[in-house]
Each structure stands twice: as structure tokens, then as C-alpha cells.
Amino acid sequence: MKITEIKVIIASPGRNFVTVKIMTDEGLYGIGDATVNGRELAVAAYLTEHVCPILIGRDPQMIEDIWQYLYKGAYWRRGPITMAAISGIDIALWDIKAKAANMPLYQLLGGASRDKMLIYQHAGGLTIEETVEGVIALREKGLEAIRAQVSIPGLPPIYGTGPNVDQLTAGMVQARPVEEVWATHKYLPLIPKLFERLRDAVGWDLHLLHDTHHRLTPIEAARLGRDLEPYRLFWLEDPVPAELQEGFRLIRQHTTTPIALGEVFNTIWDCEKLISEQLIDYIRVTSVHAGGVTGLRRILDFASIYHVKSACHGPMDISPVAMGANVHVDRWVPNFGIQEFSGYLEATHEMFPHSWYQQGGYLYSGEAIGHGVDIDEKIAAKHPYVQAYLPVARGTDGTMGSW
Ligand code: EZ4
Ligand code: CO
């Protein structure tokens, strides 16, 4: 089998997505996701200028060799743009291999370890009461795990603390990033109050999660984790930026609140210490950013020997193609923890027909061959790229913050 053509499709059915379509001389094709939210065109150029031309004529069945060729062969290793490009190609190649084998992807990976995948969705509000209502509404839809966020009184609502900004900004043109305001000293005492109120309202059966979006220092995160212990969170997500992996030792020394991390990680080297020293409980790498099915599987297998569970990142800005790849890996992976699933806008569902589906608090892979997700190129052509960015966060004095 030979690769004859690779298309890079940029389309914005409410959000921007970069999709790879690999065609072969045997008529089989594969679909991959290469989206990096806010930097989409850089990955598209990396693919069209530097990756697609050197893959024409190669055997698409040599997935591992192509992965190594693109990773080692670039000389400039790692990084989100390079790794998203590799991921897009890799996901498409696994799709082709599974189609050639006439199997759903999870079968090729080793077969099902479970029938359905536990998911978590997001509830947020301007006030604690609004968030409580949001959590109750999701529970009524059958969700068993819910991430709860609340805005800080006196500050404007910001990404990841208030209502779902992903939903609110869908399709909006942004010439530059929105600048948001952050104040740690107001946030830290607020969040335990949210979860105290939530446990009163929903009891103890529901899994509750919280995302800090990398905004704290280790000692602040240690304090928050300790203050949240009475409410038994499923996890505290992204408490601290992780360039300094050993920073997480400090958090670990002080709290038993489980820690989840890794939605921005690209390779095993971003989390090798976090995993091998058991500084986290859930690793949140995802197919589109961590090297496709090949990269994801390698990291999750490594994590399994350290009691670290999987929790693939799954927001709206990861396309239904990456979600399909994640769900097949989730179905196989022995150390599965949970799958994030923010849901998609209707236009996104239409553009990417998919065999995976949600029912209540779970995702199901479906039994289509390959990863079971396609792209409707005619619909894609109707949704051109829309310039958009993630917001940035500044302290009340203007200092740029992490998030
Ligand atoms: O901020 O996907 O857990 N999910 C998240 C997401 C991320 C965005 C970044 O593009 O934290 O909302
Ligand atoms: Co997150």
C-alpha cells in the first residue's frame, strides 16, 4: 500500500479544526486531527509545507516508522506544533490500518477492557447557586462525574471559572486574545465553599471535579487541595504549570486530594518524573497533542506501572476525530480513569459523522471499522477558518499570569 495524497482541511464549524485526510492507492483513506486551539494555521503550514510532501509514496502501514521518521527526523523534537502534526498523521494511519484489518480500532489495540467509558462534563456559574443548578441539571441528564467551576465575586467571569466560555465564544472572530482578570487570594477561599454547598445539595454519590487551569503555585495548590479534602473530589485538575515537574512534590506532601494533569503535554518527557515519582493520579494527555494513538498508548502504558490512570483531554476544541481515537484507546487501556467530554456544537457533529456516541454519563465507541469518524468535505468547505484565540489572564495590577 502507498500513500498517494494527503489533504489538510481547515474548517470552522463553530470552532477551528485542522483535519488530515490520507489517501492510498488501494482506495482506503484515514482521518486524523491536528488542531491546536489558537495556533491552528501553524500546524496546517507545518503539515502542508514540511510533512505531507515527504510522506507521498510511503507505506501507510509502517506507522511506527513514520512516527519516528517525523519525530527524530525533524531534528527539532517535541513542541505542540510538531507533535500535533505528527498526531494528525498518526491518527489517520491507525484509521487506515484498522480499516485494512476490517476491525474497529480498539480491537487492533488489544480488544475491549470495558463496554463503556465514564465521562465528565462541565458546570459553571456566576454564583455558587448557579453552579449548583448546573451540576443538578447535568446529573438529571445522567452524568455521574461533573466538573464544577464558579466566577469570583467582584471580578468579571473568566475562562474556566464561570459559564462555559467555549460555548459563548463559538464562531466569534477575535482579532486578538481577550484579556481576563485573575486574583488568587479571592479564588482560594471561594472554591471550598462551592464544594461544601455542592455536597449539601447533591450528596456523596456524584463524582465532583475542579479545574484550576495552571493558575497556582505549588504551596497555593497544596493549601487548596487540603481545604478541599472534606469534600472528596475525584480530582483537582491542572493546579500548577508543569514545566517544573518536581514542583508537584510539594503538593503531594500536603494533600490527599487526587491530582490530574497533562492536557498541554506533548510527549512522555513532559510527564516522566510526574508519573514515575507518583506525583499525579491521572494523566490527561490526548491523542491530538501527545503524538496520536502511538504516543498516547506509550504514555498510558508507562503510567500503568505507577498506578496513574488515564483521563484524556476532551474539550470542544479537540475534534470529534481525536475524540474517536481517544475513545478507542480508552476502550482498550487497562488503567482507564475517565474521559473528558465537553460535547460539540451541532455544526461540528454534522461535519464529522462519527460512530462513537454519548448515552448519559458514558461514551460508547460504536463498532464501525477504523476509529469510526469521517469528515464531510462539502460541509467543511462551507465553514472557513475564523481567527480566534484562547484568552490571556492578568492579575489585577496587569501582570501576565499563567492559566
Ligand atoms: O482549557 O481546551 O479540561 N479542559 C480544559 C479546556 C482547555 C482548552 C484549551 O484549548 O481545561 O477547556
Ligand atoms: Co482542563
PDB file of all heavy atoms in Angstrom, residues 276-309:
ATOM      1  N   SER A 276       6.629   8.668  37.209  1.00  0.00           N
ATOM      2  CA  SER A 276       7.473   7.668  37.877  1.00  0.00           C
ATOM      3  C   SER A 276       7.633   7.969  39.365  1.00  0.00           C
ATOM      4  O   SER A 276       7.862   7.063  40.158  1.00  0.00           O
ATOM      5  CB  SER A 276       8.838   7.568  37.189  1.00  0.00           C
ATOM      6  OG  SER A 276       9.532   8.784  37.315  1.00  0.00           O
ATOM      7  N   GLU A 277       7.487   9.227  39.764  1.00  0.00           N
ATOM      8  CA  GLU A 277       7.540   9.553  41.204  1.00  0.00           C
ATOM      9  C   GLU A 277       6.144   9.589  41.825  1.00  0.00           C
ATOM     10  O   GLU A 277       5.989  10.018  42.970  1.00  0.00           O
ATOM     11  CB  GLU A 277       8.265  10.892  41.410  1.00  0.00           C
ATOM     12  CG  GLU A 277       9.722  10.811  41.003  1.00  0.00           C
ATOM     13  CD  GLU A 277      10.518  12.050  41.400  1.00  0.00           C
ATOM     14  OE1 GLU A 277      10.073  12.816  42.275  1.00  0.00           O
ATOM     15  OE2 GLU A 277      11.589  12.242  40.814  1.00  0.00           O
ATOM     16  N   GLN A 278       5.154   9.200  41.055  1.00  0.00           N
ATOM     17  CA  GLN A 278       3.762   9.129  41.532  1.00  0.00           C
ATOM     18  C   GLN A 278       3.298  10.455  42.134  1.00  0.00           C
ATOM     19  O   GLN A 278       2.704  10.498  43.204  1.00  0.00           O
ATOM     20  CB  GLN A 278       3.606   7.975  42.519  1.00  0.00           C
ATOM     21  CG  GLN A 278       3.859   6.643  41.832  1.00  0.00           C
ATOM     22  CD  GLN A 278       3.956   5.496  42.803  1.00  0.00           C
ATOM     23  OE1 GLN A 278       5.027   5.212  43.333  1.00  0.00           O
ATOM     24  NE2 GLN A 278       2.841   4.852  43.043  1.00  0.00           N
ATOM     25  N   LEU A 279       3.596  11.538  41.415  1.00  0.00           N
ATOM     26  CA  LEU A 279       3.222  12.875  41.878  1.00  0.00           C
ATOM     27  C   LEU A 279       1.833  13.276  41.396  1.00  0.00           C
ATOM     28  O   LEU A 279       1.301  14.294  41.823  1.00  0.00           O
ATOM     29  CB  LEU A 279       4.259  13.906  41.404  1.00  0.00           C
ATOM     30  CG  LEU A 279       5.697  13.633  41.862  1.00  0.00           C
ATOM     31  CD1 LEU A 279       6.648  14.691  41.311  1.00  0.00           C
ATOM     32  CD2 LEU A 279       5.783  13.601  43.386  1.00  0.00           C
ATOM     33  N   ILE A 280       1.270  12.494  40.462  1.00  0.00           N
ATOM     34  CA  ILE A 280      -0.095  12.741  39.975  1.00  0.00           C
ATOM     35  C   ILE A 280      -0.868  11.424  40.004  1.00  0.00           C
ATOM     36  O   ILE A 280      -0.274  10.340  40.111  1.00  0.00           O
ATOM     37  CB  ILE A 280      -0.107  13.330  38.540  1.00  0.00           C
ATOM     38  CG1 ILE A 280       0.604  12.398  37.543  1.00  0.00           C
ATOM     39  CG2 ILE A 280       0.528  14.722  38.529  1.00  0.00           C
ATOM     40  CD1 ILE A 280       0.469  12.829  36.094  1.00  0.00           C
ATOM     41  N   ASP A 281      -2.188  11.547  39.873  1.00  0.00           N
ATOM     42  CA  ASP A 281      -3.051  10.366  39.909  1.00  0.00           C
ATOM     43  C   ASP A 281      -3.677  10.066  38.554  1.00  0.00           C
ATOM     44  O   ASP A 281      -4.013   8.919  38.263  1.00  0.00           O
ATOM     45  CB  ASP A 281      -4.145  10.591  40.956  1.00  0.00           C
ATOM     46  CG  ASP A 281      -3.529  10.836  42.321  1.00  0.00           C
ATOM     47  OD1 ASP A 281      -3.129   9.856  42.958  1.00  0.00           O
ATOM     48  OD2 ASP A 281      -3.372  12.013  42.711  1.00  0.00           O
ATOM     49  N   TYR A 282      -3.868  11.120  37.759  1.00  0.00           N
ATOM     50  CA  TYR A 282      -4.461  10.970  36.425  1.00  0.00           C
ATOM     51  C   TYR A 282      -3.594  11.722  35.425  1.00  0.00           C
ATOM     52  O   TYR A 282      -3.210  12.867  35.676  1.00  0.00           O
ATOM     53  CB  TYR A 282      -5.885  11.544  36.382  1.00  0.00           C
ATOM     54  CG  TYR A 282      -6.840  10.781  37.264  1.00  0.00           C
ATOM     55  CD1 TYR A 282      -6.999  11.141  38.599  1.00  0.00           C
ATOM     56  CD2 TYR A 282      -7.560   9.699  36.764  1.00  0.00           C
ATOM     57  CE1 TYR A 282      -7.870  10.429  39.422  1.00  0.00           C
ATOM     58  CE2 TYR A 282      -8.429   8.987  37.578  1.00  0.00           C
ATOM     59  CZ  TYR A 282      -8.582   9.353  38.909  1.00  0.00           C
ATOM     60  OH  TYR A 282      -9.436   8.656  39.718  1.00  0.00           O
ATOM     61  N   ILE A 283      -3.311  11.088  34.283  1.00  0.00           N
ATOM     62  CA  ILE A 283      -2.545  11.735  33.224  1.00  0.00           C
ATOM     63  C   ILE A 283      -3.514  12.081  32.093  1.00  0.00           C
ATOM     64  O   ILE A 283      -4.227  11.229  31.587  1.00  0.00           O
ATOM     65  CB  ILE A 283      -1.339  10.874  32.768  1.00  0.00           C
ATOM     66  CG1 ILE A 283      -0.563  11.585  31.672  1.00  0.00           C
ATOM     67  CG2 ILE A 283      -1.737   9.467  32.339  1.00  0.00           C
ATOM     68  CD1 ILE A 283       0.203  12.799  32.115  1.00  0.00           C
ATOM     69  N   ARG A 284      -3.535  13.400  31.709  1.00  0.00           N
ATOM     70  CA  ARG A 284      -4.600  13.918  30.845  1.00  0.00           C
ATOM     71  C   ARG A 284      -4.161  14.107  29.399  1.00  0.00           C
ATOM     72  O   ARG A 284      -4.741  14.899  28.667  1.00  0.00           O
ATOM     73  CB  ARG A 284      -5.131  15.227  31.441  1.00  0.00           C
ATOM     74  CG  ARG A 284      -5.542  15.055  32.909  1.00  0.00           C
ATOM     75  CD  ARG A 284      -6.637  15.973  33.324  1.00  0.00           C
ATOM     76  NE  ARG A 284      -7.736  15.824  32.409  1.00  0.00           N
ATOM     77  CZ  ARG A 284      -8.116  16.742  31.521  1.00  0.00           C
ATOM     78  NH1 ARG A 284      -7.509  17.890  31.456  1.00  0.00           N
ATOM     79  NH2 ARG A 284      -9.104  16.492  30.713  1.00  0.00           N
ATOM     80  N   VAL A 285      -3.094  13.429  28.972  1.00  0.00           N
ATOM     81  CA  VAL A 285      -2.663  13.527  27.577  1.00  0.00           C
ATOM     82  C   VAL A 285      -3.782  13.050  26.653  1.00  0.00           C
ATOM     83  O   VAL A 285      -4.616  12.240  27.041  1.00  0.00           O
ATOM     84  CB  VAL A 285      -1.376  12.718  27.306  1.00  0.00           C
ATOM     85  CG1 VAL A 285      -0.168  13.449  27.854  1.00  0.00           C
ATOM     86  CG2 VAL A 285      -1.464  11.314  27.892  1.00  0.00           C
ATOM     87  N   THR A 286      -3.749  13.560  25.417  1.00  0.00           N
ATOM     88  CA  THR A 286      -4.834  13.269  24.489  1.00  0.00           C
ATOM     89  C   THR A 286      -4.240  12.997  23.114  1.00  0.00           C
ATOM     90  O   THR A 286      -3.142  13.475  22.807  1.00  0.00           O
ATOM     91  CB  THR A 286      -5.813  14.462  24.493  1.00  0.00           C
ATOM     92  OG1 THR A 286      -7.035  14.091  23.891  1.00  0.00           O
ATOM     93  CG2 THR A 286      -5.243  15.662  23.773  1.00  0.00           C
ATOM     94  N   SER A 287      -4.957  12.226  22.289  1.00  0.00           N
ATOM     95  CA  SER A 287      -4.375  11.749  21.029  1.00  0.00           C
ATOM     96  C   SER A 287      -3.859  12.877  20.140  1.00  0.00           C
ATOM     97  O   SER A 287      -2.779  12.771  19.563  1.00  0.00           O
ATOM     98  CB  SER A 287      -5.407  10.912  20.258  1.00  0.00           C
ATOM     99  OG  SER A 287      -6.599  11.644  20.033  1.00  0.00           O
ATOM    100  N   VAL A 288      -4.603  13.983  20.039  1.00  0.00           N
ATOM    101  CA  VAL A 288      -4.229  15.027  19.077  1.00  0.00           C
ATOM    102  C   VAL A 288      -3.001  15.820  19.488  1.00  0.00           C
ATOM    103  O   VAL A 288      -2.335  16.414  18.645  1.00  0.00           O
ATOM    104  CB  VAL A 288      -5.422  15.973  18.790  1.00  0.00           C
ATOM    105  CG1 VAL A 288      -6.013  16.537  20.057  1.00  0.00           C
ATOM    106  CG2 VAL A 288      -5.039  17.110  17.859  1.00  0.00           C
ATOM    107  N   HIS A 289      -2.650  15.819  20.767  1.00  0.00           N
ATOM    108  CA  HIS A 289      -1.499  16.633  21.191  1.00  0.00           C
ATOM    109  C   HIS A 289      -0.309  15.818  21.679  1.00  0.00           C
ATOM    110  O   HIS A 289       0.774  16.371  21.873  1.00  0.00           O
ATOM    111  CB  HIS A 289      -1.933  17.638  22.273  1.00  0.00           C
ATOM    112  CG  HIS A 289      -2.956  18.602  21.768  1.00  0.00           C
ATOM    113  ND1 HIS A 289      -4.042  19.006  22.495  1.00  0.00           N
ATOM    114  CD2 HIS A 289      -3.063  19.212  20.560  1.00  0.00           C
ATOM    115  CE1 HIS A 289      -4.776  19.835  21.758  1.00  0.00           C
ATOM    116  NE2 HIS A 289      -4.206  19.964  20.580  1.00  0.00           N
ATOM    117  N   ALA A 290      -0.490  14.541  21.912  1.00  0.00           N
ATOM    118  CA  ALA A 290       0.596  13.748  22.504  1.00  0.00           C
ATOM    119  C   ALA A 290       1.122  12.671  21.556  1.00  0.00           C
ATOM    120  O   ALA A 290       1.604  11.637  21.981  1.00  0.00           O
ATOM    121  CB  ALA A 290       0.132  13.129  23.818  1.00  0.00           C
ATOM    122  N   GLY A 291       1.032  12.931  20.243  1.00  0.00           N
ATOM    123  CA  GLY A 291       1.640  12.003  19.298  1.00  0.00           C
ATOM    124  C   GLY A 291       0.709  10.926  18.777  1.00  0.00           C
ATOM    125  O   GLY A 291       1.165   9.834  18.411  1.00  0.00           O
ATOM    126  N   GLY A 292      -0.585  11.233  18.753  1.00  0.00           N
ATOM    127  CA  GLY A 292      -1.540  10.300  18.144  1.00  0.00           C
ATOM    128  C   GLY A 292      -1.775   9.079  19.010  1.00  0.00           C
ATOM    129  O   GLY A 292      -1.506   9.076  20.218  1.00  0.00           O
ATOM    130  N   VAL A 293      -2.286   8.035  18.380  1.00  0.00           N
ATOM    131  CA  VAL A 293      -2.552   6.781  19.096  1.00  0.00           C
ATOM    132  C   VAL A 293      -1.229   6.198  19.595  1.00  0.00           C
ATOM    133  O   VAL A 293      -1.127   5.698  20.713  1.00  0.00           O
ATOM    134  CB  VAL A 293      -3.285   5.789  18.163  1.00  0.00           C
ATOM    135  CG1 VAL A 293      -3.399   4.414  18.798  1.00  0.00           C
ATOM    136  CG2 VAL A 293      -4.667   6.350  17.791  1.00  0.00           C
ATOM    137  N   THR A 294      -0.186   6.323  18.767  1.00  0.00           N
ATOM    138  CA  THR A 294       1.127   5.773  19.126  1.00  0.00           C
ATOM    139  C   THR A 294       1.673   6.438  20.386  1.00  0.00           C
ATOM    140  O   THR A 294       2.111   5.761  21.327  1.00  0.00           O
ATOM    141  CB  THR A 294       2.112   5.970  17.947  1.00  0.00           C
ATOM    142  OG1 THR A 294       1.581   5.284  16.812  1.00  0.00           O
ATOM    143  CG2 THR A 294       3.497   5.446  18.261  1.00  0.00           C
ATOM    144  N   GLY A 295       1.646   7.764  20.414  1.00  0.00           N
ATOM    145  CA  GLY A 295       2.182   8.495  21.571  1.00  0.00           C
ATOM    146  C   GLY A 295       1.336   8.289  22.815  1.00  0.00           C
ATOM    147  O   GLY A 295       1.859   8.078  23.917  1.00  0.00           O
ATOM    148  N   LEU A 296       0.027   8.343  22.636  1.00  0.00           N
ATOM    149  CA  LEU A 296      -0.899   8.204  23.764  1.00  0.00           C
ATOM    150  C   LEU A 296      -0.751   6.831  24.417  1.00  0.00           C
ATOM    151  O   LEU A 296      -0.630   6.714  25.643  1.00  0.00           O
ATOM    152  CB  LEU A 296      -2.333   8.405  23.244  1.00  0.00           C
ATOM    153  CG  LEU A 296      -3.466   8.396  24.265  1.00  0.00           C
ATOM    154  CD1 LEU A 296      -3.286   9.481  25.302  1.00  0.00           C
ATOM    155  CD2 LEU A 296      -4.811   8.578  23.541  1.00  0.00           C
ATOM    156  N   ARG A 297      -0.729   5.802  23.581  1.00  0.00           N
ATOM    157  CA  ARG A 297      -0.611   4.445  24.103  1.00  0.00           C
ATOM    158  C   ARG A 297       0.691   4.257  24.881  1.00  0.00           C
ATOM    159  O   ARG A 297       0.719   3.617  25.929  1.00  0.00           O
ATOM    160  CB  ARG A 297      -0.679   3.460  22.926  1.00  0.00           C
ATOM    161  CG  ARG A 297      -0.676   2.019  23.347  1.00  0.00           C
ATOM    162  CD  ARG A 297      -0.793   1.104  22.166  1.00  0.00           C
ATOM    163  NE  ARG A 297       0.338   1.207  21.273  1.00  0.00           N
ATOM    164  CZ  ARG A 297       0.656   0.285  20.370  1.00  0.00           C
ATOM    165  NH1 ARG A 297      -0.109  -0.775  20.241  1.00  0.00           N
ATOM    166  NH2 ARG A 297       1.683   0.434  19.587  1.00  0.00           N
ATOM    167  N   ARG A 298       1.769   4.851  24.357  1.00  0.00           N
ATOM    168  CA  ARG A 298       3.073   4.694  25.010  1.00  0.00           C
ATOM    169  C   ARG A 298       3.050   5.344  26.397  1.00  0.00           C
ATOM    170  O   ARG A 298       3.545   4.770  27.371  1.00  0.00           O
ATOM    171  CB  ARG A 298       4.142   5.339  24.110  1.00  0.00           C
ATOM    172  CG  ARG A 298       5.539   5.043  24.518  1.00  0.00           C
ATOM    173  CD  ARG A 298       6.483   5.078  23.319  1.00  0.00           C
ATOM    174  NE  ARG A 298       6.298   3.928  22.451  1.00  0.00           N
ATOM    175  CZ  ARG A 298       6.392   3.951  21.108  1.00  0.00           C
ATOM    176  NH1 ARG A 298       6.677   5.071  20.486  1.00  0.00           N
ATOM    177  NH2 ARG A 298       6.217   2.860  20.408  1.00  0.00           N
ATOM    178  N   ILE A 299       2.479   6.530  26.493  1.00  0.00           N
ATOM    179  CA  ILE A 299       2.442   7.239  27.782  1.00  0.00           C
ATOM    180  C   ILE A 299       1.530   6.495  28.769  1.00  0.00           C
ATOM    181  O   ILE A 299       1.875   6.319  29.947  1.00  0.00           O
ATOM    182  CB  ILE A 299       1.972   8.697  27.581  1.00  0.00           C
ATOM    183  CG1 ILE A 299       2.994   9.466  26.737  1.00  0.00           C
ATOM    184  CG2 ILE A 299       1.765   9.384  28.938  1.00  0.00           C
ATOM    185  CD1 ILE A 299       2.509  10.836  26.262  1.00  0.00           C
ATOM    186  N   LEU A 300       0.372   6.045  28.297  1.00  0.00           N
ATOM    187  CA  LEU A 300      -0.580   5.390  29.206  1.00  0.00           C
ATOM    188  C   LEU A 300      -0.056   4.042  29.699  1.00  0.00           C
ATOM    189  O   LEU A 300      -0.265   3.671  30.863  1.00  0.00           O
ATOM    190  CB  LEU A 300      -1.949   5.235  28.535  1.00  0.00           C
ATOM    191  CG  LEU A 300      -2.635   6.549  28.140  1.00  0.00           C
ATOM    192  CD1 LEU A 300      -4.024   6.279  27.561  1.00  0.00           C
ATOM    193  CD2 LEU A 300      -2.714   7.541  29.290  1.00  0.00           C
ATOM    194  N   ASP A 301       0.655   3.327  28.838  1.00  0.00           N
ATOM    195  CA  ASP A 301       1.265   2.062  29.255  1.00  0.00           C
ATOM    196  C   ASP A 301       2.321   2.311  30.333  1.00  0.00           C
ATOM    197  O   ASP A 301       2.385   1.597  31.332  1.00  0.00           O
ATOM    198  CB  ASP A 301       1.930   1.381  28.043  1.00  0.00           C
ATOM    199  CG  ASP A 301       1.193   0.105  27.636  1.00  0.00           C
ATOM    200  OD1 ASP A 301       0.240  -0.283  28.335  1.00  0.00           O
ATOM    201  OD2 ASP A 301       1.589  -0.491  26.617  1.00  0.00           O
ATOM    202  N   PHE A 302       3.129   3.341  30.118  1.00  0.00           N
ATOM    203  CA  PHE A 302       4.147   3.718  31.103  1.00  0.00           C
ATOM    204  C   PHE A 302       3.467   4.072  32.433  1.00  0.00           C
ATOM    205  O   PHE A 302       3.893   3.631  33.508  1.00  0.00           O
ATOM    206  CB  PHE A 302       4.955   4.905  30.559  1.00  0.00           C
ATOM    207  CG  PHE A 302       5.993   5.437  31.505  1.00  0.00           C
ATOM    208  CD1 PHE A 302       7.101   4.687  31.853  1.00  0.00           C
ATOM    209  CD2 PHE A 302       5.868   6.725  32.028  1.00  0.00           C
ATOM    210  CE1 PHE A 302       8.062   5.191  32.725  1.00  0.00           C
ATOM    211  CE2 PHE A 302       6.819   7.239  32.892  1.00  0.00           C
ATOM    212  CZ  PHE A 302       7.919   6.471  33.246  1.00  0.00           C
ATOM    213  N   ALA A 303       2.379   4.854  32.354  1.00  0.00           N
ATOM    214  CA  ALA A 303       1.670   5.290  33.566  1.00  0.00           C
ATOM    215  C   ALA A 303       1.091   4.105  34.334  1.00  0.00           C
ATOM    216  O   ALA A 303       0.986   4.151  35.562  1.00  0.00           O
ATOM    217  CB  ALA A 303       0.550   6.263  33.187  1.00  0.00           C
ATOM    218  N   SER A 304       0.739   3.049  33.613  1.00  0.00           N
ATOM    219  CA  SER A 304       0.042   1.927  34.263  1.00  0.00           C
ATOM    220  C   SER A 304       0.896   1.279  35.351  1.00  0.00           C
ATOM    221  O   SER A 304       0.367   0.821  36.357  1.00  0.00           O
ATOM    222  CB  SER A 304      -0.375   0.875  33.221  1.00  0.00           C
ATOM    223  OG  SER A 304       0.749   0.144  32.780  1.00  0.00           O
ATOM    224  N   ILE A 305       2.219   1.266  35.171  1.00  0.00           N
ATOM    225  CA  ILE A 305       3.040   0.588  36.190  1.00  0.00           C
ATOM    226  C   ILE A 305       3.227   1.447  37.436  1.00  0.00           C
ATOM    227  O   ILE A 305       3.702   0.973  38.447  1.00  0.00           O
ATOM    228  CB  ILE A 305       4.404   0.118  35.627  1.00  0.00           C
ATOM    229  CG1 ILE A 305       5.219   1.273  35.071  1.00  0.00           C
ATOM    230  CG2 ILE A 305       4.213  -0.971  34.595  1.00  0.00           C
ATOM    231  CD1 ILE A 305       6.612   0.844  34.589  1.00  0.00           C
ATOM    232  N   TYR A 306       2.793   2.720  37.376  1.00  0.00           N
ATOM    233  CA  TYR A 306       2.912   3.613  38.549  1.00  0.00           C
ATOM    234  C   TYR A 306       1.543   3.951  39.136  1.00  0.00           C
ATOM    235  O   TYR A 306       1.407   4.945  39.858  1.00  0.00           O
ATOM    236  CB  TYR A 306       3.666   4.888  38.162  1.00  0.00           C
ATOM    237  CG  TYR A 306       5.088   4.602  37.730  1.00  0.00           C
ATOM    238  CD1 TYR A 306       5.437   4.570  36.383  1.00  0.00           C
ATOM    239  CD2 TYR A 306       6.071   4.315  38.667  1.00  0.00           C
ATOM    240  CE1 TYR A 306       6.739   4.284  35.981  1.00  0.00           C
ATOM    241  CE2 TYR A 306       7.367   4.015  38.278  1.00  0.00           C
ATOM    242  CZ  TYR A 306       7.689   4.001  36.936  1.00  0.00           C
ATOM    243  OH  TYR A 306       8.975   3.714  36.550  1.00  0.00           O
ATOM    244  N   HIS A 307       0.546   3.185  38.819  1.00  0.00           N
ATOM    245  CA  HIS A 307      -0.812   3.395  39.356  1.00  0.00           C
ATOM    246  C   HIS A 307      -1.412   4.720  38.933  1.00  0.00           C
ATOM    247  O   HIS A 307      -2.260   5.276  39.633  1.00  0.00           O
ATOM    248  CB  HIS A 307      -0.833   3.292  40.888  1.00  0.00           C
ATOM    249  CG  HIS A 307      -0.258   2.013  41.404  1.00  0.00           C
ATOM    250  ND1 HIS A 307      -0.934   0.814  41.328  1.00  0.00           N
ATOM    251  CD2 HIS A 307       0.940   1.741  41.982  1.00  0.00           C
ATOM    252  CE1 HIS A 307      -0.170  -0.134  41.854  1.00  0.00           C
ATOM    253  NE2 HIS A 307       0.967   0.400  42.241  1.00  0.00           N
ATOM    254  N   VAL A 308      -0.956   5.256  37.816  1.00  0.00           N
ATOM    255  CA  VAL A 308      -1.535   6.502  37.297  1.00  0.00           C
ATOM    256  C   VAL A 308      -2.555   6.121  36.222  1.00  0.00           C
ATOM    257  O   VAL A 308      -2.259   5.315  35.333  1.00  0.00           O
ATOM    258  CB  VAL A 308      -0.441   7.425  36.716  1.00  0.00           C
ATOM    259  CG1 VAL A 308      -1.063   8.648  36.048  1.00  0.00           C
ATOM    260  CG2 VAL A 308       0.530   7.853  37.818  1.00  0.00           C
ATOM    261  N   LYS A 309      -3.763   6.704  36.337  1.00  0.00           N
ATOM    262  CA  LYS A 309      -4.840   6.345  35.406  1.00  0.00           C
ATOM    263  C   LYS A 309      -4.985   7.347  34.272  1.00  0.00           C
ATOM    264  O   LYS A 309      -4.589   8.509  34.402  1.00  0.00           O
ATOM    265  CB  LYS A 309      -6.163   6.254  36.177  1.00  0.00           C
ATOM    266  CG  LYS A 309      -6.214   5.076  37.131  1.00  0.00           C
ATOM    267  CD  LYS A 309      -7.573   4.995  37.785  1.00  0.00           C
ATOM    268  CE  LYS A 309      -7.632   3.795  38.728  1.00  0.00           C
ATOM    269  NZ  LYS A 309      -8.929   3.743  39.414  1.00  0.00           N
TER     270      LYS A 309
END
